[in-house]
Amino acid sequence: MKVLYGVVGEGMGHAMRSRVILEHLVAAGHEVEIMASGRACEFLGKRFADVTRIHGFHMILEENRVRLGKTLQSNVVTGARGVPHNIAAYFDDIGRRSPDVVISDFESWAYLYGKTHRLPVLSIDNMQVIHRCTLPAPIRDGHQVAFQLTKAFIKAKLPGCDAYFITAFFRPPARKPDTYVFPPILRPEILAAKSQVAQGDHLLVYVSGSQELEAMLAKTGVPCRVYNMRPGLKEEVREGNLLFRPFSEQGFITDLATCRGVIGAGGFTLMGETVFLGKPMLSLPMAKQFEQILNARYLEHLHYGACCEDLAADPGAIPRFLDNLPDYARALARYHQDGNREILDAVDAWLAKHGPATAS
């Protein structure tokens, strides 16, 4: 079967999740064409032969905040220059290959081609949970405007797909038809790390930080293996109990599998991995990013960790998190996920239903 697969390039979570589905499709003998933007194109281009770069939306982040003005200006300027050419080249190229179905991980152009040519379209992402599932009031409390704006954006992004497969470490009820919730899609390295899980004495810290956060971490006296707080680092730097490390995928996964807890932002990918590996997490969600706030609040709601939306206003958040680690670990021990089996089986079933052999 010929599958057109679109991957949005904002953040690396979409690319890493799509990699798993794409490897499964290729192994099953499907002919897959990939369209991706931003960092997703670079990541997938190293692993798959047929990857085409397209223009995609991106965000400007500074000091753990979304800079709305800079984001709008950057996307308007680059979009005005790149989109007309992209649309023509994109549709011409796809037309020569005649895909049978479309799968989109929050990517608009593959979706648009599918709808224009009346192809079956499957959405696989974590964002649709905001629009297509019922979220409890405490999760939305204090962020109603951000929730409604985000929901409206997501609603308009990929409307009218044949099915929506949503990934989440929580299971909110679907409020829309053709909507199905699955556990997070985990990369093979994380699945393999399950057998390496151990209880160490260090914290894994993965967040763009500040001198204030460094001081708070130093004050705990707990060994911290810190990533991403000093971009461009070429070698390890130790300052007291803080070990700043240059990024290494295997080193990061090992530190994650053997830590006692995690401090990170509110990104879905890392959070899903920490839950799967049974590691409590203190989430510091990015300001003005409702999806991260949603993840962080659900994490706290399920008692898998804690959420702190303003560390400067709550300097006791880290000591409290450390005190509650045993309680979080007990809650996480009840979580179960059979690798990626559930969603991969569902993808196979959807393709069997919508593929050309069964199309009416």
Side-chain angles (χ1 to χ4, degrees), residues 123-144:
S123 166
I124 303 178
D125 65 49
N126 64 294
M127 299 294 291
Q128 292 288 344
V129 71
I130 296 173
H131 167 52
R132 304 190 69 85
C133 294
T134 300
L135 305 178
I139 300 296
R140 299 178 276 113
D141 187 41
H143 295 280
Q144 193 63 29

Side-chain angles (χ1 to χ4, degrees), residues 64-341:
N64 212 37
R65 292 177 178 270
V66 179
R67 296 303 181 185
L68 297 178
K70 291 183 179 180
T71 292
L72 179 62
Q73 181 183 30
S74 178
N75 279 280
V76 168
V77 171
T78 58
R81 292 173 180 170
V83 167
H85 168 74
N86 266 265
I87 292 176
Y90 180 82
F91 278 26
D92 286 347
D93 188 51
I94 296 172
R96 290 191 292 271
R97 306 189 191 203
S98 303
D100 301 309
V101 299
V102 174
I103 300 177
S104 175
D105 191 320
F106 215 58
E107 195 282 309
S108 297
W109 298 124
Y111 160 84
L112 182 60
Y113 182 90
K115 298 302 288 185
T116 301
H117 292 79
R118 298 183 179 181
L119 299 177
V121 180
L122 171 63
S123 166
I124 303 178
D125 65 49
N126 64 294
M127 299 294 291
Q128 292 288 344
V129 71
I130 296 173
H131 167 52
R132 304 190 69 85
C133 294
T134 300
L135 305 178
I139 300 296
R140 299 178 276 113
D141 187 41
H143 295 280
Q144 193 63 29
V145 172
F147 166 63
Q148 293 295 343
L149 288 173
T150 305
K151 181 179 174 182
F153 170 73
I154 293 169
K155 180 180 180 180
K157 179 79 170 173
L158 303 176
C161 292
D162 293 86
Y164 294 84
F165 289 3
I166 298 170
T167 57
F169 62 87
F170 45 94
R171 290 292 185 107
R175 69 180 193 90
K176 295 282 187 177
D178 304 313
T179 301
Y180 310 91
V181 182
F182 299 90
I185 299 172
L186 302 166
R187 48 188 163 146
E189 294 82 1
I190 293 296
L191 296 177
K194 187 71 171 179
S195 63
Q196 306 166 8
V197 168
Q199 180 64 56
D201 64 351
H202 67 275
L203 295 176
L204 172 71
V205 181
Y206 184 73
V207 63
S208 57
S210 62
Q211 290 185 340
E212 183 178 39
L213 177 56
E214 287 186 28
M216 290 180 177
L217 294 172
K219 190 176 179 180
T220 67
V222 176
C224 296
R225 299 179 189 178
V226 184
Y227 292 85
N228 203 44
M229 285 179 67
R230 297 188 179 180
L233 201 64
K234 300 299 182 184
E235 58 184 23
E236 292 183 350
V237 175
R238 181 177 294 279
E239 295 181 4
N241 60 310
L242 308 184
L243 179 62
F244 298 91
R245 308 194 73 178
F247 188 79
S248 154
E249 184 175 20
Q250 188 51 58
F252 180 87
I253 291 173
T254 299
D255 285 344
L256 175 60
T258 58
C259 72
R260 62 189 292 198
V262 177
I263 298 178
F268 176 77
T269 300
L270 177 58
M271 202 172 292
E273 293 174 352
T274 63
V275 170
F276 175 73
L277 295 175
K279 301 298 180 178
M281 180 175 180
L282 171 60
S283 177
L284 312 175
M286 191 178 298
K288 300 181 181 180
Q289 230 281 29
F290 179 75
E291 187 252 337
Q292 290 206 1
I293 293 167
L294 164 74
N295 296 334
R297 287 191 170 186
Y298 253 114
L299 183 85
E300 185 169 87
H301 176 70
L302 295 170
H303 211 58
Y304 294 163
C307 166
C308 179
E309 297 176 38
D310 188 347
L311 196 57
D314 186 10
I318 295 177
R320 258 194 334 273
F321 170 68
L322 295 174
D323 288 342
N324 290 327
L325 283 175
D327 292 338
Y328 301 141
R330 282 191 288 272
L332 283 162
R334 297 190 291 270
Y335 180 84
H336 174 73
Q337 177 177 343
D338 183 16
N340 299 315
R341 193 70 266 149

